[in-house]
Coordinates of all heavy atoms in Angstrom, one line a residue:
M8 N 102.7 106.3 90.6 CA 101.4 106.0 91.0 C 101.5 104.9 92.1 O 102.2 103.9 92.0 CB 100.6 105.4 89.8 CG 99.2 105.0 90.1 SD 98.4 104.5 88.5 CE 96.8 104.8 89.0
Y9 N 100.6 105.1 93.1 CA 100.6 104.1 94.2 C 99.1 103.9 94.6 O 98.3 104.7 94.3 CB 101.5 104.4 95.4 CG 101.0 105.6 96.2 CD1 100.1 105.5 97.2 CD2 101.5 106.9 95.9 CE1 99.7 106.5 98.0 CE2 101.0 108.0 96.7 CZ 100.2 107.8 97.7 OH 99.7 108.9 98.5
A10 N 98.9 102.8 95.3 CA 97.6 102.5 95.9 C 97.7 102.0 97.3 O 98.8 101.4 97.6 CB 96.9 101.5 95.0
I11 N 96.7 102.1 98.1 CA 96.6 101.6 99.4 C 95.6 100.5 99.4 O 94.4 100.8 99.1 CB 96.4 102.7 100.4 CG1 97.5 103.7 100.4 CG2 96.2 102.0 101.8 CD1 97.2 104.9 101.3
I12 N 96.0 99.3 99.7 CA 95.0 98.2 99.6 C 94.9 97.6 101.0 O 95.7 97.7 101.9 CB 95.5 97.0 98.7 CG1 96.8 96.4 99.1 CG2 95.5 97.5 97.2 CD1 97.3 95.2 98.3
A13 N 93.7 96.9 101.3 CA 93.5 96.3 102.5 C 93.3 94.8 102.3 O 92.5 94.4 101.5 CB 92.2 96.9 103.2
T14 N 94.0 94.0 103.0 CA 93.9 92.5 103.0 C 94.4 92.0 104.3 O 95.4 92.4 104.8 CB 94.6 91.9 101.8 OG1 94.5 90.5 101.8 CG2 96.1 92.3 101.8
G15 N 93.7 91.0 104.8 CA 94.2 90.3 106.0 C 94.1 91.2 107.2 O 94.9 91.0 108.2
G16 N 93.3 92.2 107.3 CA 93.2 93.1 108.4 C 94.2 94.1 108.5 O 94.3 94.8 109.5
K17 N 95.0 94.3 107.4 CA 96.1 95.3 107.4 C 96.0 96.1 106.1 O 95.3 95.6 105.2 CB 97.5 94.6 107.5 CG 97.7 93.8 108.7 CD 99.1 93.1 108.7 CE 99.3 92.3 109.9 NZ 98.7 91.0 109.9
Q18 N 96.7 97.2 106.1 CA 96.7 98.0 104.9 C 98.1 98.1 104.4 O 99.1 98.3 105.2 CB 96.1 99.4 105.2 CG 94.7 99.4 105.5 CD 94.1 100.8 105.8 OE1 94.8 101.8 105.8 NE2 92.8 100.9 106.0
Y19 N 98.3 98.1 103.0 CA 99.6 98.2 102.4 C 99.6 99.2 101.4 O 98.7 99.3 100.6 CB 100.0 96.8 101.8 CG 100.0 95.6 102.7 CD1 98.8 94.9 102.9 CD2 101.1 95.3 103.4 CE1 98.8 93.8 103.8 CE2 101.1 94.2 104.3 CZ 99.9 93.5 104.5 OH 99.9 92.4 105.3
K20 N 100.7 100.0 101.3 CA 100.9 101.0 100.3 C 101.8 100.3 99.2 O 102.9 99.9 99.4 CB 101.7 102.2 100.8 CG 102.0 103.3 99.7 CD 102.7 104.4 100.3 CE 103.1 105.4 99.3 NZ 104.0 106.5 99.8
V21 N 101.2 100.2 98.0 CA 101.9 99.4 96.9 C 102.0 100.2 95.6 O 101.2 101.1 95.4 CB 101.2 98.1 96.6 CG1 101.2 97.2 97.8 CG2 99.7 98.3 96.2
S22 N 103.0 99.9 94.9 CA 103.2 100.5 93.5 C 103.4 99.3 92.6 O 103.7 98.2 93.1 CB 104.5 101.4 93.5 OG 104.3 102.5 94.3
E23 N 103.4 99.5 91.3 CA 103.6 98.4 90.3 C 105.1 98.0 90.5 O 106.0 98.7 90.5 CB 103.3 98.9 88.9 CG 101.8 99.2 88.7 CD 101.5 99.6 87.3 OE1 102.4 99.5 86.4 OE2 100.4 100.0 87.0
G24 N 105.2 96.6 90.5 CA 106.6 96.1 90.6 C 106.9 95.7 92.1 O 108.0 95.1 92.3
D25 N 106.2 96.2 93.1 CA 106.5 95.9 94.5 C 106.3 94.5 94.8 O 105.4 93.8 94.3 CB 105.7 96.8 95.4 CG 106.1 98.2 95.4 OD1 107.1 98.6 94.8 OD2 105.4 99.0 96.1
I26 N 107.1 93.9 95.7 CA 107.0 92.6 96.2 C 106.7 92.7 97.7 O 107.5 93.3 98.5 CB 108.2 91.8 96.0 CG1 108.5 91.6 94.5 CG2 108.1 90.4 96.7 CD1 109.8 90.9 94.2
I27 N 105.5 92.2 98.2 CA 105.1 92.4 99.6 C 104.7 91.0 100.1 O 104.4 90.1 99.4 CB 103.9 93.4 99.7 CG1 102.7 93.0 98.9 CG2 104.4 94.8 99.3 CD1 101.5 93.8 99.2
K28 N 104.7 90.9 101.4 CA 104.2 89.7 102.1 C 102.9 90.1 102.8 O 102.9 91.0 103.6 CB 105.2 89.3 103.2 CG 106.5 88.7 102.6 CD 107.5 88.3 103.7 CE 108.8 87.8 103.1 NZ 109.8 87.4 104.1
V29 N 101.9 89.3 102.5 CA 100.6 89.6 103.0 C 100.1 88.3 103.8 O 100.8 87.3 103.7 CB 99.5 89.9 102.0 CG1 99.8 91.2 101.2 CG2 99.3 88.8 101.0
E30 N 99.1 88.4 104.6 CA 98.5 87.3 105.3 C 98.2 86.2 104.3 O 97.9 86.4 103.1 CB 97.3 87.6 106.1 CG 97.5 88.6 107.2 CD 98.4 88.0 108.3 OE1 98.2 86.9 108.7 OE2 99.3 88.8 108.8
K31 N 98.3 84.9 104.7 CA 98.2 83.8 103.8 C 96.9 83.8 103.0 O 95.8 84.0 103.5 CB 98.2 82.5 104.6 CG 98.2 81.2 103.8 CD 98.4 80.0 104.6 CE 98.2 78.8 103.8 NZ 99.3 78.4 103.1
L32 N 97.0 83.6 101.7 CA 95.9 83.6 100.7 C 95.8 82.1 100.2 O 96.8 81.4 100.1 CB 96.2 84.5 99.6 CG 96.3 86.0 99.9 CD1 96.8 86.8 98.7 CD2 95.0 86.6 100.5
A33 N 94.6 81.7 99.8 CA 94.4 80.4 99.3 C 94.7 80.4 97.8 O 93.8 80.5 96.9 CB 93.0 79.9 99.5
A34 N 96.0 80.4 97.4 CA 96.4 80.5 96.0 C 97.8 79.8 95.9 O 98.6 79.8 96.9 CB 96.5 81.9 95.5
E35 N 98.1 79.2 94.8 CA 99.4 78.5 94.5 C 100.3 79.5 93.9 O 99.9 80.6 93.4 CB 99.2 77.4 93.6 CG 98.3 76.3 94.2 CD 98.9 75.6 95.3 OE1 100.1 75.4 95.3 OE2 98.1 75.2 96.3
A36 N 101.6 79.2 93.9 CA 102.6 80.0 93.3 C 102.4 80.1 91.8 O 102.1 79.1 91.1 CB 104.0 79.5 93.6
G37 N 102.4 81.3 91.2 CA 102.1 81.5 89.8 C 100.7 82.0 89.6 O 100.4 82.5 88.5
D38 N 99.8 81.8 90.5 CA 98.4 82.2 90.3 C 98.3 83.8 90.4 O 99.2 84.4 90.9 CB 97.5 81.7 91.4 CG 97.3 80.2 91.3 OD1 97.7 79.6 90.3 OD2 96.7 79.6 92.2
T39 N 97.3 84.3 89.8 CA 97.0 85.7 89.8 C 95.9 86.0 90.8 O 94.9 85.3 90.8 CB 96.6 86.2 88.4 OG1 97.6 85.9 87.5 CG2 96.4 87.7 88.4
V40 N 96.1 87.0 91.7 CA 95.1 87.3 92.6 C 94.7 88.8 92.4 O 95.5 89.6 91.9 CB 95.5 87.1 94.1 CG1 95.7 85.7 94.4 CG2 96.8 87.9 94.4
T41 N 93.5 89.2 92.8 CA 93.0 90.5 92.6 C 92.6 91.0 94.0 O 91.8 90.4 94.7 CB 91.8 90.6 91.6 OG1 92.2 90.0 90.4 CG2 91.4 92.0 91.4
F42 N 93.1 92.2 94.4 CA 92.7 92.9 95.6 C 91.6 93.9 95.3 O 91.9 94.9 94.6 CB 93.9 93.5 96.3 CG 95.0 92.5 96.7 CD1 96.2 92.5 95.9 CD2 94.8 91.7 97.7 CE1 97.1 91.6 96.3 CE2 95.8 90.7 98.1 CZ 96.9 90.7 97.4
D43 N 90.4 93.7 95.7 CA 89.3 94.6 95.4 C 89.1 95.7 96.4 O 88.5 96.7 96.1 CB 88.0 93.8 95.3 CG 88.0 92.8 94.1 OD1 88.7 93.2 93.1 OD2 87.4 91.8 94.2
Q44 N 89.6 95.5 97.6 CA 89.5 96.5 98.7 C 90.6 97.5 98.5 O 91.7 97.4 99.1 CB 89.5 95.9 100.1 CG 88.3 95.1 100.4 CD 88.4 94.7 101.9 OE1 89.4 94.2 102.4 NE2 87.3 94.8 102.6
V45 N 90.4 98.5 97.7 CA 91.3 99.6 97.5 C 90.9 100.8 98.3 O 89.7 101.3 98.1 CB 91.5 99.9 96.0 CG1 92.4 101.1 95.8 CG2 91.9 98.7 95.2
V46 N 91.7 101.3 99.2 CA 91.3 102.4 100.1 C 91.6 103.7 99.4 O 90.8 104.6 99.5 CB 92.1 102.3 101.4 CG1 91.8 103.4 102.3 CG2 91.8 101.0 102.1
A47 N 92.7 103.8 98.7 CA 93.1 105.1 98.0 C 94.0 104.8 96.9 O 94.7 103.8 96.8 CB 93.8 106.0 99.0
V48 N 93.9 105.7 95.9 CA 94.8 105.7 94.7 C 95.4 107.1 94.5 O 94.6 108.1 94.6 CB 94.0 105.2 93.4 CG1 94.9 105.3 92.2 CG2 93.5 103.8 93.6
S49 N 96.7 107.1 94.2 CA 97.3 108.4 93.9 C 98.1 108.4 92.6 O 98.9 107.5 92.4 CB 98.2 108.8 95.1 OG 98.9 110.0 94.8
D50 N 97.8 109.3 91.7 CA 98.5 109.5 90.5 C 98.8 111.0 90.4 O 98.5 111.6 89.4 CB 97.9 108.9 89.3 CG 96.5 109.4 89.1 OD1 95.9 110.1 90.0 OD2 95.9 109.2 88.0
G51 N 99.4 111.6 91.4 CA 99.5 113.0 91.5 C 98.5 113.7 92.4 O 98.8 114.6 93.2
T52 N 97.3 113.2 92.3 CA 96.2 113.6 93.2 C 95.6 112.4 93.9 O 95.5 111.3 93.3 CB 95.1 114.3 92.5 OG1 94.5 113.4 91.5 CG2 95.6 115.6 91.8
L53 N 95.3 112.5 95.2 CA 94.8 111.4 96.0 C 93.3 111.3 95.8 O 92.5 112.2 95.9 CB 95.1 111.6 97.5 CG 94.8 110.5 98.4 CD1 95.7 109.3 98.0 CD2 95.0 110.9 99.8
K54 N 92.9 110.0 95.4 CA 91.5 109.7 95.2 C 91.1 108.7 96.3 O 91.7 107.7 96.5 CB 91.2 109.1 93.9 CG 91.6 110.0 92.7 CD 91.4 109.3 91.4 CE 91.9 110.2 90.3 NZ 91.9 109.5 89.0
V55 N 90.0 109.0 97.0 CA 89.4 108.1 98.0 C 87.9 108.0 97.9 O 87.3 108.8 97.2 CB 89.8 108.6 99.5 CG1 91.3 108.5 99.7 CG2 89.3 110.0 99.7
G56 N 87.3 107.1 98.6 CA 85.9 107.0 98.7 C 85.3 106.5 97.4 O 85.7 105.4 96.9
K57 N 84.2 107.2 97.0 CA 83.5 106.8 95.7 C 84.4 106.8 94.5 O 84.1 106.1 93.5 CB 82.3 107.7 95.5 CG 81.2 107.5 96.6 CD 80.1 108.4 96.3 CE 79.0 108.3 97.4 NZ 77.9 109.2 97.2
D58 N 85.4 107.6 94.5 CA 86.3 107.7 93.3 C 87.1 106.4 93.1 O 87.5 106.2 92.0 CB 87.3 108.9 93.5 CG 86.6 110.2 93.6 OD1 85.5 110.3 93.0 OD2 87.2 111.2 94.2
V59 N 87.3 105.6 94.1 CA 88.0 104.3 93.9 C 87.2 103.1 94.2 O 87.7 102.0 94.4 CB 89.3 104.3 94.9 CG1 90.3 105.3 94.5 CG2 88.9 104.4 96.3
A60 N 85.9 103.3 94.1 CA 84.9 102.2 94.3 C 85.2 101.0 93.3 O 85.0 99.9 93.6 CB 83.5 102.7 94.2
S61 N 85.5 101.4 92.1 CA 85.7 100.3 91.0 C 87.2 100.0 90.8 O 87.5 99.2 89.9 CB 85.1 100.8 89.7 OG 85.8 102.0 89.3
A62 N 88.1 100.5 91.6 CA 89.5 100.3 91.5 C 89.9 98.9 92.0 O 89.2 98.3 92.9 CB 90.3 101.3 92.2
S63 N 90.9 98.3 91.4 CA 91.4 97.0 91.9 C 92.9 97.0 91.6 O 93.4 97.7 90.8 CB 90.7 95.9 91.2 OG 91.0 95.9 89.8
V64 N 93.6 96.0 92.3 CA 95.0 95.8 92.1 C 95.2 94.3 91.8 O 94.7 93.5 92.6 CB 95.8 96.2 93.4 CG1 97.2 95.9 93.2 CG2 95.6 97.7 93.7
S65 N 95.9 94.0 90.7 CA 96.2 92.6 90.4 C 97.6 92.3 90.7 O 98.5 93.1 90.5 CB 95.9 92.4 88.9 OG 96.7 93.2 88.1
A66 N 97.8 91.1 91.2 CA 99.2 90.7 91.6 C 99.4 89.2 91.3 O 98.4 88.4 91.1 CB 99.3 90.9 93.1
T67 N 100.6 88.8 91.3 CA 101.0 87.4 91.0 C 101.6 86.8 92.3 O 102.5 87.4 92.9 CB 102.0 87.3 89.9 OG1 101.5 87.9 88.7 CG2 102.4 85.8 89.6
V68 N 101.1 85.6 92.7 CA 101.7 84.9 93.8 C 103.0 84.4 93.5 O 103.2 83.6 92.5 CB 100.7 83.8 94.3 CG1 101.3 83.0 95.5 CG2 99.4 84.4 94.7
M69 N 104.0 84.7 94.3 CA 105.4 84.3 94.1 C 105.7 83.1 95.0 O 106.4 82.1 94.6 CB 106.4 85.4 94.3 CG 106.2 86.5 93.3 SD 107.4 87.8 93.6 CE 108.9 87.0 93.2
D70 N 105.2 83.1 96.3 CA 105.7 82.1 97.2 C 104.7 82.0 98.4 O 104.0 83.0 98.7 CB 107.1 82.5 97.7 CG 107.7 81.4 98.6 OD1 107.4 80.2 98.4 OD2 108.6 81.8 99.4
Q71 N 104.7 80.9 99.0 CA 103.9 80.7 100.3 C 105.0 80.3 101.3 O 106.0 79.6 101.0 CB 102.9 79.5 100.2 CG 101.9 79.7 99.2 CD 100.7 80.6 99.7 OE1 100.7 81.1 100.8 NE2 99.7 80.7 98.9
G72 N 104.9 80.9 102.5 CA 106.0 80.5 103.5 C 105.5 80.9 104.9 O 104.4 81.2 105.2
K73 N 106.5 80.7 105.8 CA 106.3 81.1 107.2 C 107.3 82.1 107.7 O 108.5 82.0 107.2 CB 106.4 79.8 108.1 CG 105.3 78.9 108.0 CD 105.4 77.8 109.0 CE 104.2 76.9 109.0 NZ 104.3 75.8 110.0
G74 N 106.9 83.0 108.5 CA 107.8 84.0 109.0 C 108.8 83.5 110.1 O 108.8 82.3 110.4
K75 N 109.6 84.4 110.6 CA 110.5 84.0 111.7 C 109.7 83.7 112.9 O 108.6 84.1 113.2 CB 111.4 85.2 112.0 CG 112.5 85.5 111.0 CD 113.5 86.4 111.5 CE 114.7 86.3 110.7 NZ 115.9 87.0 111.3
K76 N 110.3 82.8 113.8 CA 109.6 82.4 115.0 C 109.6 83.5 116.0 O 110.6 84.2 116.3 CB 110.4 81.2 115.6 CG 109.7 80.6 116.8 CD 110.4 79.4 117.3 CE 109.8 78.2 116.6 NZ 110.1 76.9 117.2
V77 N 108.4 83.6 116.6 CA 108.2 84.6 117.7 C 108.1 83.7 119.0 O 107.2 82.8 119.0 CB 107.0 85.4 117.5 CG1 106.7 86.3 118.6 CG2 107.1 86.2 116.2
I78 N 108.9 84.0 120.0 CA 108.8 83.3 121.2 C 107.8 83.9 122.2 O 107.8 85.1 122.4 CB 110.2 83.3 121.9 CG1 111.2 82.7 121.0 CG2 110.1 82.5 123.2 CD1 111.0 81.2 120.6
V79 N 106.9 83.1 122.7 CA 105.9 83.5 123.6 C 106.2 82.9 125.0 O 106.2 81.7 125.1 CB 104.4 83.1 123.2 CG1 103.4 83.5 124.2 CG2 104.1 83.6 121.8
Y80 N 106.6 83.7 126.0 CA 107.0 83.2 127.2 C 106.1 83.7 128.3 O 106.0 84.9 128.5 CB 108.5 83.6 127.5 CG 109.1 82.9 128.7 CD1 109.5 81.6 128.5 CD2 109.2 83.5 129.9 CE1 110.1 80.9 129.6 CE2 109.8 82.8 131.0 CZ 110.2 81.5 130.8 OH 110.7 80.8 131.9
K81 N 105.4 82.8 129.0 CA 104.5 83.2 130.1 C 105.2 82.8 131.4 O 105.8 81.8 131.6 CB 103.2 82.5 130.0 CG 102.4 82.8 128.8 CD 101.1 82.1 128.7 CE 100.4 82.5 127.5 NZ 99.1 81.9 127.4
Y82 N 105.1 83.7 132.4 CA 105.8 83.5 133.7 C 105.0 84.2 134.8 O 104.6 85.3 134.7 CB 107.2 84.2 133.6 CG 108.0 84.2 134.9 CD1 108.7 83.0 135.3 CD2 108.1 85.3 135.6 CE1 109.4 83.0 136.4 CE2 108.8 85.3 136.8 CZ 109.5 84.2 137.2 OH 110.2 84.1 138.4
K83 N 104.9 83.5 135.9 CA 104.3 84.0 137.1 C 105.3 83.9 138.2 O 105.7 82.7 138.5 CB 103.0 83.3 137.4 CG 101.9 83.6 136.4 CD 100.5 83.3 136.9 CE 99.5 83.4 135.9 NZ 99.1 84.8 135.6
R84 N 105.6 84.9 138.9 CA 106.6 84.9 139.9 C 106.1 84.1 141.2 O 104.9 84.1 141.4 CB 107.0 86.3 140.3 CG 105.9 87.1 140.9 CD 106.3 88.6 141.0 NE 105.2 89.3 141.5 CZ 105.3 90.1 142.6 NH1 106.5 90.2 143.3 NH2 104.3 90.7 143.1
K85 N 107.0 83.6 141.9 CA 106.9 82.9 143.2 C 106.1 81.6 143.1 O 105.8 81.0 144.2 CB 106.2 83.9 144.2 CG 106.9 85.1 144.5 CD 106.2 86.0 145.5 CE 106.9 87.3 145.7 NZ 106.2 88.2 146.5
T86 N 105.6 81.2 142.0 CA 104.8 80.0 141.9 C 105.5 78.9 141.1 O 105.0 77.8 141.1 CB 103.4 80.3 141.2 OG1 103.7 80.7 139.9 CG2 102.6 81.3 142.0
G87 N 106.5 79.2 140.5 CA 107.2 78.2 139.7 C 106.6 77.9 138.3 O 106.9 77.0 137.6
Y88 N 105.6 78.8 138.0 CA 104.9 78.7 136.7 C 105.7 79.4 135.6 O 105.9 80.6 135.7 CB 103.5 79.2 136.8 CG 102.8 79.3 135.5 CD1 102.2 78.1 134.9 CD2 102.7 80.5 134.8 CE1 101.5 78.2 133.7 CE2 102.0 80.5 133.6 CZ 101.5 79.4 133.0 OH 100.8 79.4 131.8
H89 N 106.0 78.7 134.5 CA 106.5 79.3 133.3 C 106.2 78.4 132.2 O 106.2 77.2 132.3 CB 108.0 79.6 133.4 CG 108.9 78.4 133.7 ND1 109.5 77.7 132.7 CD2 109.2 77.8 134.9 CE1 110.2 76.7 133.3 NE2 110.0 76.8 134.6
K90 N 105.9 79.0 131.0 CA 105.6 78.2 129.8 C 106.2 78.9 128.6 O 106.0 80.2 128.5 CB 104.1 78.2 129.7 CG 103.5 77.4 128.5 CD 102.0 77.5 128.5 CE 101.4 76.2 128.7 NZ 100.0 76.2 128.6
K91 N 106.9 78.2 127.8 CA 107.5 78.7 126.6 C 106.8 78.1 125.4 O 106.6 76.9 125.3 CB 109.0 78.4 126.6 CG 109.8 79.0 125.5 CD 111.2 78.7 125.6 CE 112.0 79.3 124.5 NZ 113.4 79.0 124.5
N92 N 106.5 79.0 124.5 CA 105.8 78.6 123.3 C 106.3 79.4 122.1 O 106.7 80.5 122.3 CB 104.3 78.8 123.4 CG 103.5 78.0 122.5 OD1 104.0 77.4 121.6 ND2 102.1 78.0 122.6
G93 N 106.2 78.9 120.9 CA 106.7 79.6 119.7 C 105.6 79.6 118.7 O 104.6 78.8 118.7
H94 N 105.7 80.6 117.7 CA 104.7 80.8 116.7 C 105.4 81.3 115.4 O 106.2 82.2 115.5 CB 103.6 81.8 117.1 CG 102.6 82.0 116.1 ND1 101.6 81.1 115.7 CD2 102.4 83.1 115.3 CE1 100.9 81.7 114.7 NE2 101.4 82.8 114.4
R95 N 105.0 80.7 114.3 CA 105.5 81.2 113.0 C 104.2 81.5 112.2 O 103.4 80.6 111.9 CB 106.3 80.1 112.3 CG 107.6 79.9 113.0 CD 108.5 78.8 112.3 NE 108.9 79.3 111.0 CZ 109.5 78.6 110.0 NH1 109.6 77.3 110.3 NH2 109.8 79.1 108.9
Q96 N 104.1 82.8 111.8 CA 102.9 83.2 111.0 C 103.1 82.9 109.6 O 104.2 83.1 109.0 CB 102.8 84.7 111.2 CG 101.5 85.3 110.6 CD 100.2 84.8 111.2 OE1 100.2 84.6 112.4 NE2 99.2 84.7 110.4
A97 N 102.1 82.3 109.0 CA 102.1 82.0 107.5 C 101.9 83.2 106.7 O 101.1 84.2 107.1 CB 101.0 81.0 107.2
Y98 N 102.5 83.3 105.6 CA 102.4 84.5 104.7 C 102.3 84.1 103.2 O 102.7 82.9 102.9 CB 103.5 85.5 104.9 CG 104.9 85.1 104.5 CD1 105.3 85.2 103.1 CD2 105.8 84.5 105.4 CE1 106.5 84.7 102.7 CE2 107.0 84.1 105.0 CZ 107.4 84.2 103.7 OH 108.6 83.8 103.3
T99 N 101.9 85.0 102.4 CA 102.0 84.8 100.9 C 102.7 86.0 100.4 O 102.4 87.1 100.6 CB 100.5 84.8 100.3 OG1 99.8 83.7 100.9 CG2 100.6 84.6 98.8
Q100 N 103.7 85.7 99.6 CA 104.5 86.7 98.9 C 104.0 87.0 97.5 O 103.8 86.1 96.7 CB 106.0 86.3 98.9 CG 106.9 87.4 98.4 CD 108.4 87.0 98.5 OE1 108.7 85.8 98.6 NE2 109.2 87.9 98.4
V101 N 103.6 88.3 97.3 CA 103.0 88.6 96.0 C 103.8 89.7 95.3 O 104.4 90.6 96.0 CB 101.5 89.0 96.1 CG1 100.7 87.9 96.6 CG2 101.3 90.2 97.0
K102 N 103.7 89.8 94.0 CA 104.3 90.9 93.2 C 103.2 91.6 92.6 O 102.4 91.1 91.9 CB 105.3 90.3 92.2 CG 105.9 91.4 91.3 CD 106.9 90.8 90.3 CE 107.5 92.0 89.6 NZ 108.4 91.5 88.5
I103 N 103.2 92.9 92.8 CA 102.1 93.8 92.2 C 102.3 94.0 90.7 O 103.4 94.5 90.3 CB 102.1 95.1 93.0 CG1 102.0 94.9 94.5 CG2 100.9 96.0 92.4 CD1 100.7 94.2 94.9
D104 N 101.4 93.6 89.9 CA 101.5 93.7 88.5 C 100.9 95.0 88.0 O 101.5 95.7 87.2 CB 100.8 92.5 87.8 CG 101.5 91.2 88.1 OD1 102.7 91.2 88.3 OD2 100.8 90.2 88.1
K105 N 99.6 95.3 88.3 CA 98.9 96.4 87.7 C 97.9 97.0 88.7 O 97.3 96.3 89.5 CB 98.2 96.0 86.5 CG 97.5 97.1 85.7 CD 97.3 96.7 84.3 CE 96.6 97.8 83.5 NZ 97.5 99.0 83.3
I106 N 97.9 98.4 88.7 CA 96.9 99.1 89.5 C 95.8 99.6 88.5 O 96.1 100.4 87.6 CB 97.5 100.3 90.2 CG1 98.6 99.8 91.2 CG2 96.5 101.1 91.0 CD1 99.4 100.8 91.9
N107 N 94.6 99.0 88.7 CA 93.5 99.4 87.8 C 92.7 100.5 88.5 O 91.8 100.2 89.3 CB 92.6 98.2 87.5 CG 93.5 97.0 86.9 OD1 94.3 97.2 86.0 ND2 93.3 95.9 87.5
A108 N 92.9 101.7 88.1 CA 92.1 102.8 88.8 C 91.1 103.4 87.9 O 91.2 103.4 86.7 CB 93.1 103.9 89.2

């Protein structure tokens, strides 16, 4: 059984026991979060739309962290202009406990 959930502007295919990194959530390690935006649920047959309107996915927050650094380099030729900048995106690591379909 798997579900497709939407959080942080992205969609994730999850099953029970999966560990995923999602966009930062306002929760501490050990807290339980519920994802209400369920796009689809499959248990042999795919259910979408009104069939999954009441579905939810519960998960436990494992960790808060930052991803690897991404280098942003801006450069314009012939003018001597260049600018180097870095960015580390914050994430929340969660473990999927139960799919309530």
Side-chain angles (χ1 to χ4, degrees):
M8 178 177 207
Y9 70 87
I11 299 174
I12 60 171
T14 179
K17 300 179 179 82
Q18 294 180 354
Y19 302 91
K20 179 182 175 185
V21 296
S22 299
E23 291 183 9
D25 285 355
I26 297 174
I27 60 170
K28 292 180 181 178
V29 298
E30 294 294 318
K31 185 173 172 82
L32 301 172
E35 298 293 324
D38 290 350
T39 301
V40 294
T41 302
F42 299 106
D43 295 327
Q44 286 188 319
V45 178
V46 178
V48 174
S49 175
D50 55 351
T52 60
L53 188 65
K54 298 176 187 171
V55 295
K57 292 181 182 176
D58 296 335
V59 293
S61 63
S63 65
V64 174
S65 59
T67 303
V68 175
M69 296 180 68
D70 189 25
Q71 299 277 5
K73 288 186 175 183
K75 287 192 163 194
K76 183 175 274 194
V77 176
I78 302 298
V79 179
Y80 192 76
K81 297 181 180 181
Y82 174 80
K83 294 198 186 281
R84 63 191 180 122
K85 298 180 185 175
T86 62
Y88 170 80
H89 57 93
K90 182 184 246 184
K91 185 177 181 181
N92 198 354
H94 175 75
R95 293 181 67 191
Q96 184 67 33
Y98 68 83
T99 301
Q100 188 174 16
V101 297
K102 180 178 182 184
I103 305 299
D104 295 329
K105 185 155 178 69
I106 299 173
N107 306 312

